[in-house]
Amino acid sequence: MSQSELDSSWVSSIGNSFKNSLGIQIEEETPADFLPILEAFTSSQCHISNIPLPPPLPSANCRSRTNFRKQLDNCSYVPKETRDTWDKLFKEGYRADVHILTEYNAIFPAHSSVLGVASPVLRNFVLQAKVKDGIHYIKVTGVPSEAVHLFIRFLYSSCYEKDELKKFVLHLLVLSHSFSIPSLKRVCIDHLEQDWLTTDNTVDVLQLARKCDSPRLSLICVHRIVKDFKTISGTEGWKVMKQANPALEQELLESVVEADSRKEEKVKKMEEKKICLQLYETMEALLHVCKDGCRTIGPCDKVLKASQVSCGFPACKGVETLVRHFSSCKTRIPGGCIQCKRMWQMLELHSRMCIDPDYCKVPLCGHFKEKMQHHSKKDDMKWRLLVTKVIAVKNTKGPFSAWRPAML
């Protein structure tokens, strides 16, 4: 409430009304700067989300179907002997009818039937390959010979050595994507996600993951870049990417800015919620003081004892100190005394949330109900927004003591 809206006679009259409505025993107190200034609130809207009920627990039939699936999985388990047999077939090349050539002149024998069943892409390669003396010749270039050897072996037995996988995981990811081997692709992605990503290679893995259609791996790389942007942006991989793919660099920079904005917004909302919680506790303590009394301050019809044990309202002592100051302050104009200004704001907030001003024991509740009719639309909207936010905190914490908020 601005100073221009309050004339001296009105301030004087309602000040006397406030003082007469409470019985105050004089007691030395240290002023407590407890109530946040309401102007600190932003104009952002507050949305109260309705949390849906959790889904029901799985029925007995669902559990039985799950157990049945587990039984099927157990039935499809491949014993070690079988894997060893297929691994031996690949290593010995018994009756192989395909020779796979690498760019380093290495040759790996294989079987067209195995390649065709494992990969539709390799099946087409075999059909289109040159045949000499009954042998189909396929050439795989662009990756080391060791990676090709691991790749073909996996097609036979799904076996691999962890050290070799770690060394050639990027090449195997490219091969599994190029020749459409989903099982090997999952192995490579899992390994990259869990063990292989570092600050130096994150940018390279991101680019490769996008080319190999691995959205989850791409997302993990982006999150890592956003989290440690300062370090990763100084790596050699980032410098190369900046020159070769400026569009990706711009996309990553936008992701960093967006993440920072979300973080700032989250901090802002947490701070706003904290202030609303303080106001909630202040409103609860104000009702307690004006209705029941607490220690040395309360309604005139209550017997107050200075030796009374402190109540359980967190903001009660601060409200008591503020009320004591307001009742004896000679200035009392909102713009002239910061303590009085906070008291005016606290009383007006209460009046906007109270639905029974005729029976309310909080001083000046009815006066503010009448005065708010002359507020501008802008001020009225600011107050309504504040009330909405405090009510939202109230709904998450619990109802006020025998008090219902007004409908906006």
Side-chain angles (χ1 to χ4, degrees):
M1 183 178 296
S2 63
Q3 182 175 357
S4 59
E5 294 176 309
L6 291 173
D7 53 34
S8 300
S9 60
W10 188 81
V11 170
S12 178
S13 62
I14 63 175
N16 294 332
S17 174
F18 174 87
K19 189 173 182 180
N20 294 334
S21 62
L22 292 177
I24 303 176
Q25 298 180 12
I26 301 300
E27 183 181 87
E28 291 296 328
E29 295 284 352
T30 301
D33 190 11
F34 74 99
L35 187 64
I37 299 178
L38 300 184
E39 284 84 347
F41 281 93
T42 63
S43 58
S44 60
Q45 297 295 325
C46 176
H47 299 283
I48 305 173
S49 59
N50 295 322
I51 302 177
L53 295 175
L57 295 174
S59 62
N61 293 334
C62 293
R63 289 194 293 271
S64 63
R65 288 196 296 269
T66 303
N67 294 334
F68 179 69
R69 293 192 192 98
K70 290 182 178 179
Q71 292 175 5
L72 290 179
D73 292 340
N74 293 333
C75 292
S76 63
Y77 171 74
V78 179
K80 181 179 182 300
E81 291 78 7
T82 302
R83 292 199 303 270
D84 291 344
T85 299
W86 283 99
D87 207 27
K88 184 178 180 180
L89 177 64
F90 164 69
K91 291 178 180 179
E92 295 182 358
Y94 177 70
R95 291 194 175 184
D97 58 350
V98 177
H99 283 178
I100 300 176
L101 309 177
T102 69
E103 61 183 14
Y104 300 102
N105 298 323
I107 300 176
F108 301 113
H111 301 80
S112 59
S113 56
V114 175
L115 300 181
V117 171
S119 167
V121 179
L122 285 173
R123 181 186 304 173
N124 292 331
F125 272 43
V126 171
L127 293 177
Q128 298 172 13
K130 293 182 179 180
V131 181
K132 183 179 180 181
D133 298 331
I135 302 296
H136 300 260
Y137 290 87
I138 300 175
K139 192 168 186 178
V140 179
T141 60
V143 294
S145 301
E146 295 88 342
V148 177
H149 180 270
L150 290 173
F151 173 71
I152 302 301
R153 180 191 178 191
F154 188 90
L155 298 183
Y156 277 78
S157 60
S158 298
C159 294
Y160 58 88
E161 305 298 334
K162 289 186 177 181
D163 293 338
E164 294 179 337
L165 174 66
K166 183 176 181 179
K167 186 176 180 181
F168 299 104
V169 62
L170 294 181
H171 303 96
L172 291 174
L173 177 60
V174 173
L175 290 171
S176 63
H177 175 73
S178 301
F179 293 105
S180 186
I181 310 296
S183 56
L184 178 58
K185 190 174 182 179
R186 286 194 298 269
V187 171
C188 295
I189 291 175
D190 289 342
H191 179 76
L192 287 170
E193 290 177 357
Q194 297 175 12
D195 302 320
W196 204 79
L197 277 180
T198 64
T199 301
D200 293 327
N201 65 23
T202 300
V203 176
D204 297 330
V205 174
L206 171 61
Q207 297 178 86
L208 185 60
R210 293 198 170 188
K211 291 181 179 179
C212 294
D213 190 24
S214 304
R216 175 180 166 82
L217 181 58
S218 300
L219 185 61
I220 291 175
C221 292
V222 171
H223 284 176
R224 188 177 185 120
I225 292 173
V226 169
K227 185 177 180 181
D228 194 13
F229 175 73
K230 185 176 181 180
T231 303
I232 294 179
S233 61
T235 61
E236 190 65 27
W238 180 276
K239 296 176 183 178
V240 174
M241 178 269 296
K242 184 178 180 179
Q243 296 294 328
N245 194 351
L248 177 59
E249 182 201 18
Q250 182 63 31
E251 181 183 341
L252 293 174
L253 291 176
E254 292 176 357
S255 298
V256 173
V257 173
E258 183 180 355
D260 290 340
S261 300
R262 286 197 303 266
K263 185 177 180 180
E264 292 177 0
E265 185 67 21
K266 184 178 180 180
V267 172
K268 183 179 178 181
K269 287 183 177 180
M270 290 178 63
E271 185 64 26
E272 186 177 273
K273 186 176 181 180
K274 180 180 178 181
I275 295 175
C276 287
L277 179 60
Q278 291 175 346
L279 289 176
Y280 160 80
E281 294 172 348
T282 302
M283 293 294 100
E284 195 176 44
L286 178 64
L287 279 173
H288 165 65
V289 168
C290 296
K291 181 180 178 182
D292 303 321
C294 186
R295 298 203 308 144
T296 63
I297 188 169
C300 296
D301 56 351
K302 293 285 185 178
V303 178
L304 303 173
K305 298 180 180 180
S307 60
Q308 181 179 347
V309 180
S310 299
C311 65
F313 292 89
C316 190
K317 185 173 179 60
V319 171
E320 178 185 352
T321 303
L322 198 61
V323 169
R324 189 181 304 282
H325 167 85
F326 186 75
S327 64
S328 59
C329 182
K330 302 301 181 182
T331 306
R332 197 175 292 162
I333 299 175
C337 175
I338 186 64
Q339 297 284 11
C340 290
K341 179 179 180 179
R342 292 180 176 180
M343 191 68 199
W344 289 118
Q345 293 170 336
M346 186 172 69
L347 292 172
E348 182 164 358
L349 177 60
H350 164 79
S351 67
R352 286 179 173 272
M353 303 179 75
C354 180
I355 61 174
D356 296 317
D358 295 334
Y359 302 97
C360 183
K361 290 191 176 183
V362 176
L364 309 180
C365 183
H367 288 281
F368 278 102
K369 283 287 186 183
E370 296 176 2
K371 200 68 179 177
M372 71 176 64
Q373 298 176 4
H374 304 289
H375 280 193
S376 65
K377 279 189 176 182
K378 183 178 179 180
D379 289 340
D380 190 58
M381 286 301 298
K382 289 174 64 177
W383 278 106
R384 284 174 177 265
L385 179 60
L386 175 59
V387 171
T388 301
K389 292 178 179 180
V390 176
I391 290 176
V393 173
K394 176 192 88 64
N395 291 336
T396 59
K397 186 176 178 65
F400 290 109
S401 306
W403 185 69
R404 295 178 294 125
M407 296 299 293
L408 297 179

